[in-house]
Amino acid sequence: MEASTMDYMIGVDLGTTSTKVVLFDMKGQSHAYANNPYPLYQDTPDMAEEDPEEIFEAVIAGLTEVMRKGKVQPGELKGVSFSAAMHSLILMDKDNKPLTRVITWADNRAAKYAEDLKASGVGAELFAKTGVPTHPMSPMVKLLWLKAEQPDLFNQTAHFIGIKDYILYRLFGKYVQDYSLANATGLFNIFNMDWDDQALEVTGVKREQLPELVSTEYQLTGMSASYASVTGIDPATPFIMGASDGTLSNLGVNAIDPGVLAVTIGTSGAVRVVVDKPVVDPKGRLFTYYLDDGKWVVGGPVNNGGIVFRWVRDQLFAPEKITAEQMQVDSYEILTDIASKIPAGADGLLFHPYLGGERAPIWDANARGSFFGLSRQHTRAHMVRAALEGIVYNLYMVMLMIEGVAGKPKAIQATGGFARSELWRQMLADIFEQEVNIPESFESSALGAVVLGMKSLGIVDDLSVVKDMVGVTNTHKPNEANFEVYRELLPIWIRLTRELSGEYSSIAEFQRNHPNPRAKLAEED
C-alpha cells in the first residue's frame, strides 16, 4: 500500500515538562512542530507532580497548531500516534474526575516503601515478573505509599490510570492502556502479558480499577466532536496507542537491531538496547519494557543528565549565564567551550552527578552528588569538565550492566539535547571506546510513535523502514589518548560509587531534617 506525498501522520510525545507534537510525512520528514510546556509542581520535599488538565490543554493546543501550520487538508491526515513518559499515576473517582494530579516518575515520596519491598524480598519477586526495578518511580510502589498514608483517598479511587490514559479518555471516553506503558507500572507480568496477580494483591488494586490492556498498535476512532472541531482533525481519524517514550526513542533513532545501543541524554538520560524476547537482569538493576511483537527494550534510566549541566551553569557560572543572556548567546555553548580547554580526565577531578537521587545504575533515591580529588590546581573550568564526564561515566556503568544481559554493543546511536555539543559527543565516544553515531532524526520518540502507527495502519510492513528515515549527521571515533586516561580513572570512579553508597541515606536524612530555606527560592528563580 503506497501513500501519496501529501499523506501525513502526527506524533504526540507527552513529556515530563512539555508535550511535543510533530507533523511528519510518510518519509519521516517533519512539516510542523509545536512544543507546549507546563509546570512541574514540587510543593513539598520529594514531590514531583503535574496537572492533568494542563497537559490535556497542551495536547489540544499542539494538535491544533500543527494542523494549522501544516495546512493539512481533509483526508491527508492518516493517523495520530502517541509516545508518553513512563511511570505516571493519576487516581480517578467514580465520576471519572481526577482525585490527584499526575504523580510523575520523578516523585520520590514512596522511597520508604521501595526500601521495605527490597528488604522483604517481595520486590525481587515482582521484578522477576514485571521487569520494573523496585524504586519510588514505579506506580506499583506509589500505590503502596498512597494506600498506607492516604487511605481515604485510595479507597475513593475508582480507576488507577496514567497520563496517556487520561488524554485518551478525554478524547474517546474509554480507559485503555498499551502493553508498553502498562509494563512500566510494575503491575504487569511480561511473561503472560496481563496484570500480575501478586502485584495486585500486594497493592490492593482490583483488575476492574485498571485500564483495558491493548497492543501498542491498537487504534481508537470516533474522537469527541467538540475536540475534533477545535483541532481540525476528522473524528474518524485513527489514534494509535503507541508506546513509552524510552522504547520509541530506540525506534526513532534506528536502534532496534540486536547489539545497537541507544544512548539518550536530555534532562535525564538512558541507555537501552532491543532484544527479541523478555529477559530480566538477575541483579534487578535494568528495566525490561515492551515495544512491539518480538521487540523488548532492556536498559537503565538515569535521573541526572542535562539537569546537572544546568545546575553547573546556574550555581557555578552565574556571571557567565547573565552575560550570555545579555548577549543573546547560548550559555551552554560558553560552558562547553570552557570545558574543552581542560584535558580529558579533568586533571584527576571526579564528579558523581547524583544531584536528584539516582535510578540506574545504583537505584538509590538518597544518592547525592560529590566532587572527589579537588586540589588547589583545580578551577571552575575543571569542575564543568568533571561534571560532564561524570554524567557519561554514570551512563557507562549502565552500559556495563546491559553487556551482562544482552552482550557487548556493536554500535551506538546517541540522541537528546546533549547531541548538539561536539565536546559531549566526543566524550561519549572516548569513555565508551566505541564509535558514536548521531542520527539527524527530529524528535526521536515522536518519530518512533509515527513509525509504529504506520505499521498499525498497514502503510508499512515492519518497523525497519525507520532506517530510511534516519540519517547520520555526525560520527565520532574514540580518541586513543583520551580513552587511555579514562581507562585509568573509570575504575576509581566506580569504586568510589560503591564506597559512598553506604553514607547516602545518612546525608539525605540530615538534609530532610535540616531543610535549606533558600532551596525553594533558588528553584523558583
Side-chain angles (χ1 to χ4, degrees):
M1 174 176 170
E2 204 157 310
S4 76
T5 55
M6 293 301 292
D7 286 346
Y8 298 104
M9 294 282 294
I10 289 176
V12 180
D13 182 16
L14 306 170
T16 306
T17 54
S18 70
T19 286
K20 298 167 185 173
V21 182
V22 190
L23 180 73
F24 291 99
D25 63 24
M26 296 302 170
K27 294 180 180 178
Q29 298 299 306
S30 65
H31 290 259
Y33 173 78
N35 183 11
N36 291 292
Y38 28 78
L40 187 67
Y41 295 97
Q42 298 177 291
D43 307 337
T44 61
D46 294 328
M47 173 192 281
E49 295 184 344
E50 298 161 338
D51 185 323
E53 186 58 28
E54 288 175 345
I55 298 176
F56 181 72
E57 289 172 0
V59 172
I60 297 301
L63 290 170
T64 306
E65 185 177 344
V66 300
M67 289 291 287
R68 176 182 54 80
K69 283 181 176 176
K71 300 178 181 176
V72 181
Q73 300 302 309
E76 289 183 340
L77 182 64
K78 299 306 175 186
V80 179
S81 190
F82 281 80
S83 161
M86 292 177 271
H87 315 300
S88 62
L89 178 65
I90 311 172
L91 276 56
M92 305 289 287
D93 69 14
K94 59 183 175 54
D95 298 317
N96 299 304
K97 303 295 183 189
L99 290 166
T100 64
R101 292 191 291 213
V102 186
I103 307 171
T104 71
W105 64 267
D107 194 297
N108 268 331
R109 287 173 291 177
K112 172 187 179 296
Y113 299 89
E115 293 307 312
D116 290 348
L117 271 179
K118 288 178 184 176
S120 69
V122 174
E125 292 174 12
L126 292 173
F127 170 77
K129 296 185 290 180
T130 66
V132 181
T134 306
H135 186 272
M137 70 176 185
S138 163
M140 186 272 293
V141 178
K142 292 180 171 75
L143 289 167
L144 292 176
W145 159 63
L146 289 166
K147 184 173 70 168
E149 299 193 16
Q150 300 186 55
D152 290 345
L153 181 67
F154 188 90
N155 293 331
Q156 285 180 58
T157 304
H159 304 281
F160 298 98
I161 65 171
I163 184 55
K164 187 167 73 172
D165 315 336
Y166 178 82
I167 301 298
L168 293 176
Y169 176 80
R170 293 288 303 276
L171 294 175
F172 295 95
K174 182 178 181 180
Y175 288 122
V176 287
Q177 189 168 102
D178 65 81
Y179 292 143
S180 181
L181 283 169
N183 189 166
T185 64
L187 300 168
F188 178 85
N189 189 306
I190 59 178
F191 298 101
N192 66 19
M193 302 296 285
D194 197 3
W195 299 117
D196 183 74
D197 290 333
Q198 183 184 7
L200 297 183
E201 183 181 349
V202 166
T203 56
V205 172
K206 301 178 179 66
R207 282 175 180 269
E208 56 268 27
Q209 293 177 294
L210 296 169
E212 175 189 350
L213 289 167
V214 296
S215 159
T216 52
E217 295 186 32
Y218 182 82
Q219 299 173 18
L220 289 160
T221 54
M223 180 170 57
S224 161
S226 59
Y227 295 122
S229 175
V230 168
T231 60
I233 295 174
D234 187 320
T237 302
F239 276 55
I240 299 93
M241 291 298 296
S244 65
D245 54 359
T247 60
L248 287 172
S249 182
N250 265 60
L251 174 56
V253 298
N254 190 30
I256 55 172
D257 291 332
V260 180
L261 201 69
V263 178
T264 306
I265 311 177
T267 303
S268 55
V271 184
R272 301 176 299 266
V273 69
V274 171
V275 294
D276 58 8
K277 61 184 178 183
V279 293
V280 295
D281 172 24
K283 296 183 180 178
R285 303 161 302 180
L286 302 170
F287 59 63
T288 303
Y289 294 147
Y290 180 86
L291 170 58
D292 197 21
D293 290 342
K295 294 198 182 298
W296 296 78
V297 177
V298 173
V302 303
N303 289 356
N304 299 286
I307 197 167
V308 173
F309 198 17
R310 177 179 174 178
W311 173 83
V312 169
R313 182 197 66 178
D314 294 350
Q315 304 304 328
L316 302 182
F317 288 83
E320 287 82 358
K321 176 188 175 186
I322 293 168
T323 301
E325 288 171 350
Q326 291 170 343
M327 297 174 61
Q328 296 185 321
V329 297
D330 188 336
S331 54
Y332 292 113
E333 286 187 12
I334 292 174
L335 263 66
T336 52
D337 184 58
I338 290 170
S340 70
K341 306 293 194 296
I342 301 298
D347 290 319
L349 181 61
L350 301 176
F351 179 70
H352 285 83
Y354 306 137
L355 303 185
E358 191 51 285
R359 290 179 289 171
I362 60 174
W363 296 101
D364 188 344
N366 291 319
R368 295 295 185 264
S370 58
F371 282 103
F372 179 84
L374 268 172
S375 69
R376 288 193 299 271
Q377 71 168 316
H378 291 119
T379 65
R380 288 187 307 152
H382 286 87
M383 289 180 174
V384 66
R385 173 96 195 192
L388 297 180
E389 289 175 340
I391 294 166
V392 183
Y393 289 159
N394 200 46
L395 292 166
Y396 179 82
M397 273 186 71
V398 179
M399 187 271 288
L400 292 178
M401 294 170 183
I402 292 174
E403 273 190 17
V405 174
K408 192 171 179 63
K410 301 171 186 171
I412 296 176
Q413 303 284 94
T415 186
F418 95 104
R420 292 192 293 270
S421 162
E422 183 171 353
L423 172 68
W424 220 342
R425 295 193 301 255
Q426 187 61 48
M427 202 177 278
L428 188 65
D430 293 342
I431 291 171
F432 278 58
E433 290 190 43
Q434 290 261 359
E435 188 173 285
V436 172
N437 299 313
I438 313 296
E440 64 185 358
S441 57
F442 181 80
E443 293 299 340
S444 59
S445 293
L447 177 60
V450 159
V451 173
L452 193 61
M454 290 169 69
K455 181 170 179 275
S456 168
L457 294 168
I459 295 169
V460 299
D461 293 331
D462 60 61
L463 302 180
S464 64
V465 298
V466 74
K467 69 178 181 293
D468 299 322
M469 302 177 179
V470 176
V472 174
T473 54
N474 288 284
T475 297
H476 291 261
K477 297 180 184 297
N479 178 308
E480 185 174 357
N482 290 347
F483 71 63
E484 292 286 356
V485 171
Y486 292 131
R487 279 182 184 177
E488 286 189 57
L489 288 173
L490 270 165
I492 302 171
W493 192 92
I494 292 170
R495 285 197 303 272
L496 274 169
T497 306
R498 292 171 181 149
E499 290 173 17
L500 289 170
S501 65
E503 296 300 337
Y504 285 145
S505 60
S506 303
I507 197 65
E509 186 65 21
F510 176 89
Q511 291 170 351
R512 291 188 190 102
N513 293 337
H514 302 82
N516 177 2
R518 298 180 298 279
K520 188 167 182 59
L521 292 174
E523 283 178 8
E524 290 169 356
D525 290 345

